[in-house]
Amino acid sequence: MKDKVTNILISGVGGQGILLASEVLSEVLMLAGFDVKKNEIHGMAQRGGSVISHIRFGTKVYSSIIPDGEGDILLGFELLETYRHLSLLRKGGQVVANDLKILPPPVTLGKEQYPENIKEKIRSAFSDTLVVDGTRLASQAGNPRTVNVALLGAISGALPVGADLWHDTLRRMVPERFLETNLKAFDLGRKAAPVKS
Amino acid sequence: MKRCMLSGNEAIARGAFEAGVKVASAYPGTPSTEILENITRYPSVDASWSPNEKVALEVGIGASFGGGRALVAMKHVGVNVAADPLFTLSYTGVRGGLVLVTADDPELHSSQNEQDNRNYAKFAKMPMFEPSDSQEALDFTRLSLEVSELFDTPVFLRSTTRISHSKSVVELGQPVPSQPTKAVEKNPAKFVMLPGNARKRHVVVEERLRKMEEWVCQQPFNRIEVGQGKIGVITSGVSYLYAKEVLPDADILKLGMVYPLPKQMIRDFASRYDTLYVIEELDPFIEEQVRAMGIAVHGKDILPICGELTPARLKRALTGETNDSFYVPQDTLPNRPPNMCPGCPHRSVFLTLNRLKAFVTGDIGCYTLGFMEPLSAMDTCICMGASIGNATGMTKVLDPQEARRVVAVIGDSTFLHTGINGLMDMVYNKSHATVLILDNRTTAMTGRQENPGSGYTLAGDETYQIDLEALCRSVGVENITVVDPYDIAHTREVIRTEMDRPAVSVVIARRPCMLVKHDPVKKKAPLAVDPNKCTGCKACLQLGCPAIEWQPEAGERGKAVINPLLCCGCGLCPQMCQFDAIGGRHEG
C-alpha cells in the first residue's frame, strides 16, 4: 500500500476559516515528508458561498481533485455543507462535523427548507462519524475565531502526524497574539476526537 | 534546497523574482490576482496595479524595451483587453525578457466565459509554456524569461484555475545575479512598427517560429514518460496530471510548451502506437495541429470540449467507468450561492433599481450579484466596462418612455478600467442614459485590490486619488450627484430624478466596502428585531441581507430575526420597516 493516496475534504461556508485550516493541514503533511496537493476555488465562493477544499497526500500525488466516492475523510464546518458533500466520501469514510447551522439565502428568505435531522442521516450512512461542538471548544480556548483550528485538532488523530509537528506548524503559521488560544483550541479538538457522540 | 507548499500563483511570483524580473504589472482578475500580490514580497521587483490589462502590458513592454526583464499577469479575458499591443509586440520582440501570464478559467469558476487562451499563442505567433504544478510554474516562469531573450520574443505562460489555486510542494531555486540597468537603445527598425518596418519584422517572426519548432524537439520540458508501450498519450498542463491518474500505464508525451509544437518528436512518438490520445482541456488545440500533420488521434471525439477536464470526466470518456458516490443525500438541498456581504453598500442601490423598474446594463464586480433574488436588478453583463456603451446603444433603439428605464451600473475600479471611454461616447454622441458608479473605494470582487481611485498603490503607499466627479465633469457630464447608499430614501429620489432627465447623468453611490483594507470600516453594534413589533410583513427580507433570517414558526405568520454575529449595524433594515420594529440590541 506504499502508493496509497489519502484524500481529505474540508467543506463549509465562505468566511469560516477553511482556507487557513487547509493551509495548516497541507503544511503539516508536507513537513511530515509526504507529497501533498491541495486546491480550492477562490473568487465568487468567498462571498458566503459554499466552499470545498481538497487535500491529497501520499508518496506521489498527481491530480489535486478528489473524485466522487473517493474521499477518506470529510471535515465539515457547517452541517448542510457536510451533508451536501457526503457524495465525495468512499464507503466507510470518516466524517468529522461541526455542530453548526448557517442558513443559506433561500432559507433565510423563507423560500426553501434547511434539511431536518442532518446529524442522524450522516451517522446512518457513515458509522465513523464524530459531531463536534466547535463553537464551544473555541470559546473554551478563549477565542471564538479558533473553531477552524479546533476542528483540525478533531481530525488530527486520524492522520499519521504527531502532536508536536502540529504544534510547531501552528507556531510558524499563526500570528503571535492568537497563538496561545489556537494551540489550546487544537488540543481541545484533538482530545474531543476519540469520543464518538 | 528549501521545500515549501506554494500555490501556482505564488510559484510564478517566486519564479519572476528568481529570474531577476525588474517590473511586474497587472490588473487583478481571478484566478491571476495573487501573482502580483505575492511579488510584493520581493523588493527587487517594481510591482504595480495598472488601470487595465492593456496598460499593464504596455508598462511591461516599456520595461523590456528599456532592457529590464518584465512579467505581466492577467486573467484569460484580460488578454482580450491587452491584445492590441500584444500582437505587435510579437513583431518587435523584446530587449529584456518579457513573460505574459494568462490565467485561464475552465469551468468558469469566476468568469464570464471559458475561452482557451492557447489559441492566442498561435494567433500572435508567440511561444507558450504550460505548467502542470507549482514546481513547473516556478521553473517555467524562469525559463520563459530566458527563452524570451534567447529567441527575441515575448513568451506566454498559461495557467488555469487548478494550477493557479492549487498548492503543491516546490523546491526553491537561487535568484540569478542582479543585472545592471542599461541605457536606452535607438533601434527604429525593431521598435517603430510602421508598415515598412513591420513587414520586415513579420518575416523575422515566421523565421523565429520555424527555428523554435526544431529547438523544442531537444528541450527537456517536452519529455516522454515510458509506460507499458500499448497506449500513447500527448498531453500538457493540468490534463497531464489527470492522464497520470487515469492511465498510469500509458506512454506519455508530456508537453511543457504547447506552442510551437515539437513536430518531429510528435511524429516519432505517434508512429509507435495503434491507439493515440490527445488529452487536453477545452479546445482541440493540440489535436487539430496533430491531425493537420496527418496523424490519426482520439481527442474531442470522446473528451468534453466544455468545462474542466477532471479525473472522473476523463475516466468516463476513456473507459466508460463512472465514479459512483457511496452515498448521495436524497433531500432537495438549498443552494448556497455567493451573496453581497452584510453592510455591503451595493445592496440598497439594487433594491432601488428594482423598485424603480429600471433596466440595468451591468458590469463586472461584486455588484454583478445584484442580478440575484431578491434584488433581481441587473439585466446584462458582458465584460469589463461594457455597461455604459450597452446603455448608449440600447437607448438608441427604444422609444423614449422605455429608454428612460435604462441605467448603466458600474463599479469604481471597472469604471477606471474601461468604463470612462463609454462615458465619453455617451456624452459625445448625445445619448440620454443614467450612469450609476458604485464607488466602494476598492476592487472588491478579486479580494480588495487598490486602483487609481483608491488612493493607495499595490505596495500600500499613499498616492493621488482620482476625483471621479471632476473626471466625469471633464468629459462633459453636467449632471453629477453623489449619494450615500445607506440613505435609501435620498438614493431613490436622486436615481428617480436622474432617470427622468433627458440628458446624461452620473450618480455616484459612495460608501467604502465593509472589507476595504486601508482606513477600515468600523462595524457598528448589531441591530435586533423587536418580536412584539414585528408583524411578519417580510419587507426587511427584500434587502437579501445574510444577517436577516426568517423564522416561519414565530408569531402567527412568522417573524424576522437578526443574526448578531453577521449584522454590522449598517442601518438599512430599519429604513425598510414600517412598524419601527428594528433598532438597537437590548442585552439580557
Side-chain angles (χ1 to χ4, degrees):
Chain A
M1 290 300 283
K2 185 174 150 282
D3 293 335
K4 167 92 176 72
V5 171
T6 304
N7 295 328
I8 308 173
L9 297 142
I10 307 183
S11 68
V13 179
Q16 281 195 292
I18 292 169
L19 195 64
L20 179 72
S22 67
E23 299 264 307
V24 173
L25 176 57
S26 50
E27 184 80 10
V28 163
L29 292 165
M30 177 201 71
L31 292 171
F34 293 104
D35 189 20
V36 187
K37 287 236 166 92
K38 91 152 183 144
N39 90 72
E40 59 258 308
I41 299 300
H42 311 200
M44 295 289 274
Q46 285 181 334
R47 306 279 171 262
S50 171
V51 174
I52 177 88
S53 179
H54 298 225
I55 299 112
R56 310 187 72 210
F57 72 95
T59 314
K60 173 72 192 167
V61 182
Y62 287 104
S63 164
S64 61
I65 299 177
I66 301 170
D68 279 348
E70 293 192 11
D72 296 297
I73 303 172
L74 170 62
L75 173 60
F77 277 42
E78 195 274 347
L79 287 170
L80 171 60
E81 297 312 318
T82 310
Y83 190 45
R84 192 194 305 281
H85 292 101
L86 289 178
S87 58
L88 285 159
L89 274 185
R90 65 171 166 83
K91 183 182 179 187
Q94 183 184 346
V95 182
V96 175
N98 186 24
D99 194 359
L100 175 74
K101 287 184 186 178
I102 300 175
L103 305 185
V107 175
T108 53
L109 289 172
K111 296 199 169 171
E112 290 178 44
Q113 299 280 315
Y114 196 95
E116 292 180 337
N117 307 320
I118 287 183
K119 284 183 264 184
E120 290 68 26
K121 287 171 184 163
I122 297 175
R123 282 199 191 97
S124 69
F126 295 92
S127 60
D128 194 357
T129 292
L130 169 72
V131 178
V132 181
D133 187 346
T135 313
R136 190 174 53 82
L137 294 177
S139 59
Q140 273 177 13
N143 177 358
R145 297 198 67 84
T146 58
V147 174
N148 54 357
V149 173
L151 293 172
L152 276 183
I155 63 159
S156 66
L159 301 171
V161 180
D164 289 350
L165 187 55
W166 281 100
H167 287 164
D168 288 348
T169 309
L170 286 169
R171 274 189 202 102
R172 288 198 298 110
M173 295 183 75
V174 174
E176 180 69 39
R177 62 202 165 109
F178 301 126
L179 182 60
E180 197 190 327
T181 51
N182 273 281
L183 287 172
K184 212 166 165 187
F186 178 83
D187 289 341
L188 286 168
R190 194 171 168 93
K191 236 190 303 181
V195 190
K196 300 264 159 73
S197 60
Chain B
M1 260 318 141
K2 193 175 179 240
R3 277 170 95 234
C4 51
M5 288 290 292
L6 293 185
S7 70
N9 284 347
E10 288 169 330
I12 291 168
R14 172 75 195 187
F17 159 70
E18 289 182 9
V21 159
K22 290 256 167 65
V23 168
S25 52
Y27 182 81
T30 312
S32 72
T33 311
E34 301 82 4
I35 298 170
L36 264 269
E37 291 185 322
N38 279 287
I39 281 187
T40 58
R41 295 179 186 191
Y42 310 107
S44 60
V45 186
D46 179 310
S48 59
W49 293 129
S50 295
N52 66 37
E53 293 85 352
K54 179 174 181 287
V55 175
L57 180 55
E58 288 155 353
V59 169
I61 293 171
S64 163
F65 287 3
R69 286 185 165 182
L71 174 141
V72 184
M74 54 197 65
K75 69 182 291 172
H76 59 336
V77 288
V79 180
N80 302 336
V81 180
D84 197 1
L86 179 68
F87 280 69
T88 305
L89 172 66
S90 176
Y91 278 30
T92 62
V94 300
R95 197 164 159 232
L98 185 144
V99 59
L100 172 58
V101 183
T102 168
D104 293 10
D105 190 18
E107 198 76 21
L108 304 98
H109 296 288
S110 197
S111 301
Q112 65 269 38
N113 75 33
E114 58 178 348
Q115 66 187 51
D116 185 336
N117 274 11
R118 292 178 302 168
N119 293 296
Y120 266 118
K122 186 160 183 282
F123 196 3
K125 301 175 188 286
M126 281 166 54
M128 176 181 273
F129 280 104
E130 191 175 33
S132 294
D133 58 20
S134 298
Q135 183 70 59
E136 285 191 349
L138 188 156
D139 296 343
F140 287 2
T141 303
R142 288 187 68 146
L143 206 49
S144 294
L145 290 149
E146 287 165 23
V147 169
S148 175
E149 288 171 5
L150 186 62
F151 284 93
D152 188 10
T153 176
V155 174
F156 268 120
L157 181 82
R158 178 190 187 239
S159 176
T160 53
T161 303
R162 296 288 178 184
I163 301 296
S164 279
H165 286 175
S166 289
K167 286 205 166 190
S168 57
V169 183
V170 174
E171 280 191 16
L172 305 182
Q174 286 296 331
V176 299
S178 132
Q179 300 293 312
T181 53
K182 297 176 181 171
V184 288
E185 182 184 271
K186 272 190 180 284
N187 188 351
K190 176 171 163 63
F191 293 134
V192 182
M193 286 300 93
L194 285 169
N197 291 336
R199 263 179 222 120
K200 292 178 194 134
R201 290 301 303 180
H202 186 186
V203 178
V204 173
V205 169
E206 299 301 333
E207 181 61 17
R208 180 176 78 201
L209 274 180
R210 202 191 52 71
K211 276 190 195 153
M212 286 200 80
E213 233 167 61
E214 284 169 24
W215 179 79
V216 290
C217 290
Q218 277 96 48
Q219 298 308 309
F221 51 74
N222 291 328
R223 63 168 193 263
I224 292 168
E225 294 182 2
V226 179
Q228 291 187 349
K230 290 184 184 132
I231 299 171
V233 171
I234 303 172
T235 187
S236 71
V238 78
S239 304
Y240 160 77
L241 303 176
Y242 305 156
K244 292 294 279 187
E245 294 265 340
V246 177
L247 297 172
D249 298 328
D251 290 10
I252 292 186
L253 170 52
K254 199 268 189 205
L255 300 172
M257 185 178 272
V258 292
Y259 195 80
L261 290 179
K263 288 192 178 158
Q264 194 52 51
M265 200 177 184
I266 290 173
R267 270 196 197 94
D268 295 345
F269 180 77
S271 68
R272 295 180 220 158
Y273 309 96
D274 294 329
T275 310
L276 184 67
Y277 295 106
V278 173
I279 297 179
E280 58 189 327
E281 209 166 46
L282 298 177
D283 291 350
F285 179 76
I286 297 169
E287 180 188 340
E288 282 179 355
Q289 295 181 72
V290 173
R291 281 182 191 275
M293 291 161 62
I295 297 168
V297 290
H298 289 293
K300 295 297 162 178
D301 52 333
I302 51 171
L303 298 175
I305 200 165
C306 301
E308 280 187 304
L309 194 63
T310 63
R313 287 175 186 167
L314 181 61
K315 186 158 96 178
R316 190 166 57 222
L318 291 175
T319 66
E321 289 173 46
T322 52
N323 265 89
D324 295 322
S325 296
F326 163 67
Y327 176 83
V328 179
Q330 295 305 307
D331 339 27
T332 315
L333 301 187
N335 284 326
R336 195 186 294 275
N339 194 354
M340 292 175 195
C341 306
C344 176
H346 299 329
R347 183 168 278 113
S348 62
V349 173
F350 287 99
L351 175 86
T352 304
L353 291 166
N354 178 316
R355 295 281 163 85
L356 293 172
K357 299 191 165 40
F359 187 91
V360 177
T361 58
D363 228 299
I364 309 270
C366 286
Y367 50 92
T368 314
L369 298 172
F371 95 94
M372 295 198 312
E373 287 188 24
L375 300 170
S376 312
M378 180 163 294
D379 302 296
T380 72
C381 174
I382 298 291
C383 69
M384 292 288 290
S387 57
I388 302 179
N390 291 165
T392 300
M394 196 169 280
T395 55
K396 285 175 191 279
V397 297
L398 296 173
D399 74 59
Q401 207 36 47
E402 194 71 352
R404 65 161 279 291
R405 292 174 57 200
V406 176
V407 177
V409 173
I410 187 166
D412 50 336
S413 187
T414 309
F415 179 68
L416 296 171
H417 177 281
T418 35
I420 180 70
N421 311 70
L423 189 60
M424 287 183 214
D425 176 65
M426 190 177 262
V427 174
Y428 172 53
N429 288 308
K430 301 174 185 288
S431 179
H432 284 178
T434 304
V435 176
L436 260 168
I437 302 175
L438 306 185
D439 181 11
N440 66 353
R441 321 298 305 142
T442 188
T443 313
M445 192 66 183
T446 43
R448 299 157 291 149
Q449 286 72 34
E450 305 302 338
N451 66 59
S454 75
Y456 295 92
T457 65
L458 168 59
D461 298 326
E462 283 192 46
T463 185
Y464 181 75
Q465 201 178 100
I466 285 183
D467 180 338
L468 288 179
E469 293 91 309
L471 179 60
C472 294
R473 209 173 293 124
S474 74
V475 303
V477 181
E478 290 175 0
N479 310 293
I480 301 166
T481 320
V482 179
V483 299
D484 175 2
Y486 277 5
D487 182 342
I488 299 177
H490 183 241
T491 299
R492 182 190 164 110
E493 185 50 34
V494 168
I495 295 176
R496 197 187 55 73
T497 307
E498 297 306 324
M499 282 171 71
D500 285 339
R501 191 191 296 278
V504 176
S505 312
V506 169
V507 179
I508 301 171
R510 180 168 292 142
R511 172 64 76 165
C513 171
M514 291 304 296
L515 303 172
V516 77
K517 282 178 183 164
H518 292 283
D519 315 315
V521 177
K522 284 205 178 70
K523 288 188 184 179
K524 291 186 187 158
L527 301 172
V529 177
D530 181 342
N532 298 320
K533 290 185 183 170
C534 178
T535 64
C537 74
K538 293 189 175 179
C540 56
L541 294 182
Q542 292 310 306
L543 285 167
C545 176
I548 306 177
E549 294 170 4
W550 182 246
Q551 291 197 318
E553 279 85 36
E556 278 176 28
R557 51 175 188 167
K559 286 183 193 294
V561 62
I562 292 176
N563 182 338
L565 296 175
L566 294 176
C567 177
C568 52
C570 74
L572 286 181
C573 54
Q575 298 175 59
M576 302 295 288
C577 184
Q578 293 180 18
F579 304 97
D580 200 23
I582 305 176
R585 202 173 173 75
H586 301 285
E587 297 300 336

